[in-house]
């Protein structure tokens, strides 16, 4: 029997719930029943059929010059600068979003308490459960009155590719997070679950997830796939790099991401299986970071599976 | 706080444009906001310093860099 985590990792929900189901000891990925390819990993990374959006070693094409022709923001002293992610943008567009493993990722359209709308990413861990960032389901520390708290609803769109929804969409109003995030707004506890009413995870498949030791994460290649808001709406993008560093609660990496990818799985490939080790949450000045799937996080993720 | 309005060149508001914080003086949640029906948006700016926003509406894309002071609200009008 698995003990429910306590303290900041105490799980909470916007709905009154019975006790969560017992967790499994090992969580393996599932391919799902949908037709389409099961794409084998290319070593530690994904093999993408589409060409890279930006050629390796080249900077994005002169956004500063182009932007000056479009217009100007009116403000005290604006300046237009080149886009950078971290150095050269190495992200690749994913076009095979209906194939495994990419179809386990879902584009999120989040409606907050105050009616504002946001973009995020989530990934399936079971038939009806997706994992995402805590701040995708519970907004914390906003300066806007009435915005903080559980979001009202989330539209979940698995395998979205631009305007195409190969697996349709479903709306959720059942969310889980932990006290460390919802009550304290502590970034070290920024993770959550979305429960959907239909078992789409049986169709699209799931990622595995695990609580791995520091030695297994050091220098491992991590992969992140999600829906960045700086690209055309609904496009899935991917990047991978070696993990930069880990702490007991976070994983840091120089994988290029942008706003909208909050909640994406940070996963490694072990024996051909995709195993999530963190939940992407923050964009930083030099590295990005995710909430590490430590033992209590693993227990909560396991117990949230429906 | 970073608040603003996204408009077309003719001044019409742009609803549903995504606003991404691409650069900030501190790590920020990697979530993107969509502009409201009136083109308005409001984002947290946790520290004073330089912030870069990337705005995307369809194929149109715009970057804006702003200096946020120690306290108060910074307002901006962004024309796509």
């Amino acid at each position: 029997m698995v003990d429910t985590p306590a303290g900041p990792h105490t799980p909470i929900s916007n709905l009154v719930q019975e006790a969560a189901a017992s967790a499994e000891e090992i969580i393996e990925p599932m391919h799902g029943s949908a037709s389409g390819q099961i794409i084998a990993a290319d070593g530690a990374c994904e093999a993408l059929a589409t060409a890279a959006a930006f050629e390796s070693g080249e900077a994005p094409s002169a956004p500063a010059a182009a932007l000056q022709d479009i217009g100007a923001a009116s403000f005290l002293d604006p300046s237009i600068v080149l886009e950078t992610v971290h150095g050269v943008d190495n992200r690749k567009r994913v076009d095979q979003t209906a194939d495994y493993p990419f179809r386990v990722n879902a584009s999120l359209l989040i409606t907050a308490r105050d009616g504002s709308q946001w973009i995020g990413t989530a990934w399936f861990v079971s038939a009806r459960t997706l994992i995402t960032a805590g701040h995708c389901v519970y907004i914390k520390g906003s300066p806007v009155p009435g915005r903080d708290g559980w979001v009202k609803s989330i539209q979940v769109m698995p395998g979205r590719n631009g305007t195409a929804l190969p697996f349709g969409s479903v709306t959720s109003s059942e969310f889980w997070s932990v006290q460390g995030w919802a009550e304290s707004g502590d970034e070290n506890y920024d993770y959550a679950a979305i429960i959907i009413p239909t078992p789409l995870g049986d169709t699209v498949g799931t990622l595995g997830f695990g609580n791995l030791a520091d030695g297994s994460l050091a220098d491992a290649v991590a992969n992140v796939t999600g829906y960045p808001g700086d690209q055309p709406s609904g496009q899935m993008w991917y990047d991978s790099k070696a993990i930069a560093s880990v702490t007991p609660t976070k994983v840091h990496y120089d994988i290029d991401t942008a706003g909208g990818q909050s909640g994406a799985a940070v996963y490694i490939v072990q024996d051909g299986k995709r195993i999530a080790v963190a939940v992407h949450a923050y964009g930083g000045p030099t590295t990005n970071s995710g909430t590490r799937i430590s033992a209590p996080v693993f227990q909560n993720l396991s117990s949230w599976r429906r | 706080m970073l608040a603003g309005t996204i408009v077309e060149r003719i001044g019409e508001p742009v609803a549903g444009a995504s606003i991404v914080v691409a650069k900030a003086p501190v790590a920020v949640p990697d979530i993107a906001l969509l502009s409201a029906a009136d083109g308005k948006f409001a984002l947290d700016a946790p520290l004073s310093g330089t912030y870069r926003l990337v705005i995307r509406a369809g194929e149109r894309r715009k970057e804006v860099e702003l200096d946020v002071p120690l306290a108060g609200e910074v307002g901006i009008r962004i024309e796509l």
Side-chain angles (χ1 to χ4, degrees), chain B residues 15-63:
Chain B
S18 63
I19 302 110
V20 167
V21 177
K23 175 186 171 183
V26 67
V28 293
D30 228 6
I31 193 170
L33 176 62
L34 298 178
S35 59
D38 57 1
K40 293 186 183 300
F41 68 92
L43 282 171
D44 186 25
L47 285 182
S48 62
T50 301
Y51 289 76
R52 182 186 308 145
L53 304 182
V54 175
I55 295 92
R56 164 74 75 166
E59 293 302 316
R60 293 173 295 173
R61 181 194 176 112
K62 182 74 170 286
E63 293 177 30

Side-chain angles (χ1 to χ4, degrees), chain A residues 36-124:
Chain A
Q37 296 185 61
I38 309 298
I39 301 173
D42 182 10
C45 305
E46 301 293 352
L48 290 177
T50 55
F54 298 104
E55 294 299 321
S56 176
E58 295 177 9
S61 56
L67 288 165
Q68 288 171 356
D69 292 335
I70 296 172
S74 56
F75 183 55
L76 296 176
D77 184 25
S79 62
I80 309 299
V81 297
L82 278 171
E83 172 197 8
T84 57
V85 180
H86 287 141
V88 173
D89 190 340
N90 296 302
R91 292 176 292 173
K92 296 181 181 179
R93 166 91 188 272
V94 179
D95 199 43
Q96 296 176 267
T97 65
D99 296 332
Y100 185 90
F102 303 109
R103 63 193 185 201
V104 309
N105 301 294
S107 169
L108 305 180
L109 177 59
I110 302 159
T111 302
R113 283 184 64 220
D114 66 336
S116 60
Q117 293 196 306
W118 305 75
I119 297 171
T121 300
W123 44 286
F124 278 90

Side-chain angles (χ1 to χ4, degrees), chain B residues 3-26:
Chain B
T5 308
I6 300 172
V7 298
E8 304 277 6
R9 286 190 186 183
I10 56 174
E12 289 296 309
V14 177
S18 63
I19 302 110
V20 167
V21 177
K23 175 186 171 183
V26 67

